[in-house]
Amino acid sequence: MDRNTASPQGNAVGTVTAIRGNVVDIRFDHALPPLTHVLRAGKDNEMALEVMAHLDDHHVRAVGLTFTQGLAEGDAVTATGGVLMVPVGDELLGRMFNTFGEPIDNGPTVQAREHWPALRPPTPLARQRAGDEIFTTGIKAIDLMTPLERGGKAGLFGGAGVGKTVVIMELINNMVGVHEGVSLFCGIGERCREGEELYREMRDAGVLKNTVMLFAQMNEPPGTRFRAGHAALSMAEYFRDVKEQDVLLLVDNVFRFIQAGMEVSGLMGRLPSRLGYQPTLGTELAEFEERISSTEHGAITSVQAVYVPADDFTDPAAVHTFGHLSSSIVLSRKKASEGLYPAIDPLASGSSMLVPDVVGREHYDIAREVRATLAAYEELKDIIAMLGMEELSREDQLVVNRARRLERFLTQPFNVTEQFTGHKGRLVKLEDTLDGCRRILGDEFRGRPESALYMIGSIDEAGR
């Protein structure tokens, strides 16, 4: 049979004309396979390629979703006639997968009843539902200053080594246990060690049975990392739309998704945009983020870690991501260097949920007063550094006293770091957080040493 004619199965067969690393040009003598469609190559069809561009009437350019070693000019490539498909359903619960939906936890093969396309359009606006319900996490600084929206998108921004993954893992620990729906963790371009640790911890905690995990690791081709987020979203959408369940989606990390897109764009020979990013950055991120939404039947609540290159929050990756979120949690290297963990910067963080109509007047007023106190202390730091505390007015000294105690009260020992710190983890109710801040703002703890408020749960642990 001629390689360039249709195969007996009716799928077009083409011929490799050029290979440059992970980019493959293929000639088809008849109809070209559409964009985003998957092609198969290799002796046992073990290689997967995705069509990224039509070069002319007979040639397509594809990027490898698997490594392309061993592929040569003249080799046959078969069009599968569809996009990347992933398994969906209850059979996935308690398992760990790669981008292709293949188990990577050494468990048995998953016999899923259904497979859905990894690339699906977002839910139409007419069917989306706006959220006005708070998703409490048990982490004081988040629940007080940047409350999460049930069915919304929250971003966890920070540079290297400030604790993004630790906060994500603590959120899993706190929320998966009490979350009534399904949890889905998507690791994009992260270390395999983190995935293995997370799997083991969730298994030991007994919450793995309601969790699906999907990983595209650092050593995998950029095409695979670029599609991992979409594959995870298809799995989440099944539980939301078919099973009508709430889904908690945790993504670590969105910058690696953008970075994979940048690598694919470079492989395709597109001219880079600002700071070397792909010219399609905004579109690609929107295609991913707009699929995370709530309907009348279920909600996808998303918490996404976002690496910030060189701590530069004006970086295009961070700027574009900010625009899609209802809550932005910013981790500060300065806070981390002072030992104030979680290193959340309450002045840089924010949430659209922090309004009286949603959180209540009391919560709103306390959060606003905490923010004002911390902002005033920030302005006084230069004077304190030059002249000392004694030169401040009596009122300013009280402000500094409150602010330093608030900073320490908003630290919290985590369950996931207990083995490293020796501090037993705390999950703090929102009422206890509000009560503690109210009492600190009322100068009830003015005479207590600051250290009494450091790494505690509720304010009662500090004594009087």
Side-chain angles (χ1 to χ4, degrees):
M1 183 184 69
D2 186 350
R3 282 181 177 179
N4 292 317
T5 60
S7 68
Q9 290 77 27
N11 295 337
V13 176
T15 306
V16 174
T17 59
I19 304 174
R20 292 176 303 283
N22 237 31
V23 179
V24 182
D25 290 352
I26 304 137
R27 176 181 175 84
F28 289 89
D29 281 347
H30 299 286
L32 296 182
L35 296 179
T36 74
H37 273 222
V38 173
L39 313 174
R40 286 285 177 177
K43 186 164 59 175
D44 299 315
N45 280 342
E46 73 278 6
M47 296 180 195
L49 312 163
E50 184 175 310
V51 178
M52 287 290 178
H54 289 165
L55 302 180
D56 55 37
D57 289 346
H58 293 289
H59 291 84
V60 301
R61 181 161 291 166
V63 168
L65 298 178
T66 56
F67 290 111
T68 55
Q69 283 96 332
L71 196 62
E73 284 188 41
D75 283 357
V77 176
T78 305
T80 61
V83 299
L84 179 66
M85 304 291 283
V86 292
V88 295
D90 290 335
E91 297 84 4
L92 276 58
L93 294 171
R95 302 298 302 275
M96 184 191 292
F97 299 91
N98 62 15
T99 304
F100 298 95
E102 299 164 347
I104 54 173
D105 55 4
N106 294 324
T109 304
V110 173
Q111 302 295 334
R113 293 190 187 92
E114 286 189 62
H115 286 73
W116 282 16
L119 296 171
R120 303 180 72 234
T123 304
L125 281 174
R127 286 180 46 215
Q128 292 187 21
R129 178 176 56 83
D132 57 0
E133 189 180 345
I134 296 302
F135 199 91
T136 54
T137 65
I139 299 175
K140 291 183 284 190
I142 294 177
D143 288 344
L144 174 70
M145 304 302 293
T146 59
L148 307 190
E149 174 191 354
R150 184 180 292 278
K153 296 184 276 267
L156 203 58
F157 293 84
V162 294
K164 295 184 301 298
T165 300
V166 172
V167 174
I168 280 271
M169 289 174 72
E170 184 69 6
L171 285 168
I172 293 170
N173 184 82
N174 291 2
M175 299 198 294
V176 167
V178 298
H179 181 63
E180 294 175 358
V182 172
S183 300
L184 201 150
F185 182 90
C186 176
I188 305 175
E190 290 300 299
R191 305 164 188 84
C192 59
R193 167 186 59 79
E194 293 172 349
E196 191 274 332
E197 286 176 1
L198 185 61
Y199 180 82
R200 191 160 19 89
E201 285 174 9
M202 295 180 81
R203 183 191 60 200
D204 295 345
V207 296
L208 194 60
K209 64 182 183 297
N210 288 323
T211 305
V212 181
M213 303 176 77
L214 187 144
F215 283 92
Q217 296 163 20
M218 276 183 170
N219 62 335
E220 297 191 45
T224 308
R225 287 181 270 123
F226 189 47
R227 291 301 180 218
H230 289 283
L233 275 170
S234 291
M235 295 176 180
E237 287 168 346
Y238 174 86
F239 288 108
R240 180 195 66 190
D241 298 339
V242 177
K243 306 295 287 188
E244 298 188 356
Q245 292 176 292
D246 282 357
V247 181
L248 175 60
L249 174 67
L250 300 126
V251 183
D252 190 6
N253 106 35
V254 170
F255 175 78
R256 303 293 175 204
F257 165 75
I258 293 170
Q259 192 176 46
M262 180 165 55
E263 292 177 48
V264 169
S265 181
L267 288 170
M268 295 299 296
R270 296 179 188 137
L271 284 174
S273 181
R274 188 171 154 229
L275 297 184
Y277 284 101
Q278 63 270 42
T280 50
L281 166 60
T283 306
E284 289 169 359
L285 186 62
E287 286 173 351
F288 174 73
E289 295 284 358
E290 290 305 306
R291 288 179 64 184
I292 305 171
S293 60
S294 302
T295 67
E296 295 175 2
H297 306 296
I300 298 179
T301 303
S302 170
V303 182
Q304 309 167 17
V306 186
Y307 168 68
V308 181
D311 292 344
D312 178 14
F313 284 89
T314 64
D315 188 270
V319 170
H320 279 276
T321 308
F322 267 120
H324 292 279
L325 307 173
S326 54
S327 301
S328 300
I329 303 161
V330 176
L331 299 179
S332 155
R333 192 170 301 281
K334 185 167 177 291
K335 296 271 185 196
S337 67
E338 294 171 3
L340 300 173
Y341 290 102
I344 294 169
D345 184 346
L347 299 179
S349 306
S351 170
S352 62
M353 295 287 100
L354 194 58
V355 291
D357 291 346
V358 177
V359 298
R361 173 57 64 178
E362 180 192 31
H363 182 166
Y364 174 75
D365 287 343
I366 290 173
R368 191 170 63 170
E369 194 171 347
V370 167
R371 187 184 294 273
T373 303
L374 295 173
Y377 174 44
E378 201 65 35
E379 291 176 1
L380 292 168
K381 279 184 178 177
D382 288 343
I383 298 173
I384 295 168
M386 289 187 291
L387 304 175
M389 281 280 290
E390 298 75 21
E391 296 302 315
L392 297 179
S393 67
R394 171 72 176 161
E395 182 54 41
D396 284 347
Q397 287 184 16
L398 286 174
V399 167
V400 172
N401 185 291
R402 291 178 204 131
R404 289 183 64 85
R405 279 157 180 76
L406 283 169
E407 280 185 337
R408 278 142 189 82
F409 176 63
L410 291 177
T411 62
Q412 186 170 340
F414 281 177
N415 287 286
V416 296
T417 59
E418 191 175 319
Q419 58 182 320
F420 307 112
T421 64
H423 293 285
K424 182 170 172 52
R426 304 285 198 283
L427 193 151
V428 185
K429 294 179 181 176
L430 177 60
E431 308 85 73
D432 292 337
T433 302
L434 295 175
D435 178 57
C437 292
R438 187 192 307 109
R439 290 163 69 179
I440 293 170
L441 291 167
D443 291 331
E444 186 177 325
F445 293 86
R446 191 169 67 193
R448 294 285 293 153
E450 295 170 4
S451 58
L453 296 161
Y454 180 68
M455 285 294 170
I456 62 172
S458 68
I459 197 72
D460 294 329
E461 294 180 37
R464 291 287 180 125

